[in-house]
Amino acid sequence: MELPLVVLQLATFFFLATPPSSLAQDAATPGLHPVVLVPGNTCGQLDAQLTDEYEPLTAGCGIPKQGLGWFRLWENFTALQEDPSLSCRATPISSGWSTTPSPATIGTFQANVCMEGLVKALEEVGYKEGGNLFGAPYDFRYAPAAPRLPSKVFSYFSSSFRLLVERASKMNGNKPVTIVSHSMGGLFTMVFLDRSPLAWRRRYVKHFVMLCLGVGGSPLNMWPLAFSNLSPPSLPGTVLTYGNRSFASMFSLLPSPKVYGDTPLVITRAKNYSAGDMAEYLAAVGLSEEQVALYRTRALPVTLNLRAPLVPTTSINGIGVPTVDSLVFWDGNFTGKPELVNGDGDGQINLQTVLALERLIGDDPDQPYFKSILVPNTTHKGMISDEFALKRVIGEILGAN
């Protein structure tokens, strides 16, 4: 699915720190291994520029409203509040299945609250943006495709990521790099590492610290695909829902049959849907045959074939927070709000998929080192913002040095 009449670029995702007051603060602490951060889903920022051929869907949208320059498409909830119909942005932000990459920059920092707390905490222990601390953004609408299938966006990310890691190592006395991922950034990193030569991994990756990642997806991600809108509508929810139906990334986060088996994840009076019934469920909530086929051929094989990264790895996940285990649409009305049946996890990633990650990596005889840490009463976002959790994360990063 292409994006005519609009040019997109992926903006970088971190905040730019306040200029330091002394040369001592300005310099990165010697001896630390460089760190590359890979953010979670939706932490990237998309900028758009309309071409002369663009015709707005409704009055007040498009060129008359935005002008001819670049404007923030995501995240820009202030502008979205001014236009609740979303029609000004519906076409550009959707469409995650295209194999044509959007222009992107990689390895620099820009204001974004997604990982601000983690970056500040790293700076407090001696890391310096652009010296030994780097970021690897990606277009969150896309996802890795099955091997041997075209995936230009992920290929572009992979080549840029590889060059960034090599450059970070060279800038720091050829020390190998510690990669720190959050949420979906961990999926991108795991697939990237699996498709990189083992000799390259062992040369350039000192440690992989993955935050808030399981390997089986989450039942929670079945909900946004099930409805087109809520009444009364939730603006951010509506934006994400419209996009999620076309974002390849959303399909990569659906529950895996390998983890959940025949466990009912969506329950109705007439029929229950397990992870093995996912294609049938997607059709039942209104996705097209083409979208269901893309799930089967591009997203599902990646989920089923995730492998241990074969570099020293630490997994840190939150527990003790109510987390969706299943959805109940008892009357079969998928456009309504379901009853949520909760279990344990971090509010987004449930404990079952975390334990599956432990088995996947920990049981691989070729995995050189693996440690799994469960942080009590920590949410998905809190892992990179709560003081207690950040101390634990920073401790593991420094321990990898």
Side-chain angles (χ1 to χ4, degrees):
M1 190 180 296
E2 302 296 335
L3 297 176
L5 311 181
V6 63
V7 180
L8 288 174
Q9 70 174 2
L10 177 64
T12 50
F13 53 88
F14 295 124
F15 75 98
L16 182 61
T18 303
S21 57
S22 70
L23 290 176
Q25 288 175 307
D26 186 61
T29 300
L32 294 174
H33 285 261
V35 165
V36 175
L37 301 179
V38 189
N41 190 20
T42 76
C43 279
Q45 296 174 347
L46 294 177
D47 289 345
Q49 185 180 54
L50 303 177
T51 67
D52 293 336
E53 290 79 15
Y54 177 78
E55 295 182 4
L57 299 176
T58 60
C61 295
I63 293 174
K65 180 176 181 178
Q66 299 296 347
L68 293 173
W70 289 97
F71 61 91
R72 177 56 40 83
L73 181 70
W74 178 270
E75 298 175 354
N76 188 355
F77 287 128
T78 300
L80 289 171
Q81 291 283 2
E82 296 170 358
D83 178 25
S85 72
L86 306 179
S87 57
C88 292
R89 288 173 168 74
T91 300
I93 197 171
S94 68
S95 215
W97 290 106
S98 169
T99 58
T100 303
S102 303
T105 55
I106 195 163
T108 56
F109 292 76
Q110 185 172 328
N112 188 296
V113 297
C114 277
M115 299 190 86
E116 179 176 351
L118 179 56
V119 173
K120 285 184 176 179
L122 285 167
E123 290 184 331
E124 288 174 359
V125 296
Y127 281 92
K128 171 63 180 175
E129 175 262 315
N132 57 3
L133 179 59
F134 306 86
Y138 53 88
D139 192 329
F140 60 85
R141 299 168 303 161
Y142 299 88
R148 295 179 295 279
L149 290 182
S151 182
K152 291 182 180 178
V153 174
F154 183 73
S155 296
Y156 175 81
F157 165 79
S158 296
S159 60
S160 299
F161 194 10
R162 185 169 291 107
L163 290 172
L164 173 63
V165 168
E166 293 172 358
R167 175 173 172 265
S169 174
K170 185 176 181 180
M171 289 175 61
N172 289 271
N174 292 319
K175 294 185 181 69
V177 169
T178 297
I179 299 174
V180 182
S181 67
H182 181 243
S183 192
M184 188 175 176
L187 173 64
F188 270 69
T189 304
M190 283 190 70
V191 177
F192 164 77
L193 290 173
D194 182 54
R195 298 180 187 179
S196 297
L198 184 57
W200 185 93
R201 284 179 258 176
R202 290 177 172 170
R203 160 64 182 87
Y204 284 104
V205 181
K206 171 72 172 176
H207 208 97
F208 176 25
V209 179
M210 59 170 75
L211 311 177
C212 303
L213 180 71
V215 295
S218 169
L220 177 63
N221 295 320
M222 299 174 73
W223 182 12
L225 292 169
F227 60 85
S228 56
N229 53 65
L230 293 175
S231 181
S234 164
L235 182 62
T238 308
V239 174
L240 287 173
T241 301
Y242 184 93
N244 280 343
R245 282 179 172 264
S246 65
F247 288 1
S249 56
M250 193 63 189
F251 292 81
S252 296
L253 300 174
L254 290 172
S256 167
K258 203 170 184 178
V259 174
Y260 293 94
D262 296 327
T263 302
L265 302 178
V266 171
I267 300 167
T268 73
R269 182 188 291 109
K271 179 178 174 57
N272 295 336
Y273 297 90
S274 68
D277 302 318
M278 192 61 64
E280 187 178 352
Y281 170 76
L282 296 177
V285 299
L287 272 71
S288 68
E289 291 183 8
E290 179 186 8
Q291 288 173 306
V292 175
L294 288 169
Y295 161 74
R296 281 196 181 114
T297 60
R298 295 180 68 84
L300 182 59
V302 174
T303 303
L304 294 177
N305 291 287
L306 287 173
R307 295 188 290 185
L310 304 187
V311 297
T313 299
T314 299
S315 169
I316 310 179
N317 285 278
I319 56 171
V321 180
T323 305
V324 172
D325 272 347
S326 60
L327 311 169
V328 180
F329 295 92
W330 189 243
D331 60 359
N333 178 18
F334 293 118
T335 63
K337 183 176 181 179
E339 176 188 346
L340 306 179
V341 180
N342 291 324
D344 196 2
D346 68 3
Q348 293 190 40
I349 302 297
N350 63 23
L351 183 57
Q352 188 170 352
T353 190
V354 172
L355 297 178
L357 175 72
E358 292 180 354
R359 293 191 296 270
L360 174 74
I361 301 179
D363 292 350
D364 192 315
D366 295 323
Q367 177 65 31
Y369 171 89
F370 176 67
K371 179 167 66 171
S372 177
I373 299 170
L374 303 178
V375 185
N377 304 317
T378 301
T379 65
H380 198 73
K381 182 178 179 181
M383 186 64 72
I384 54 173
S385 61
D386 293 351
E387 183 178 358
F388 173 78
L390 281 173
K391 284 183 179 180
R392 190 62 191 268
V393 171
I394 297 300
E396 293 301 320
I397 294 173
L398 292 178
N401 280 274

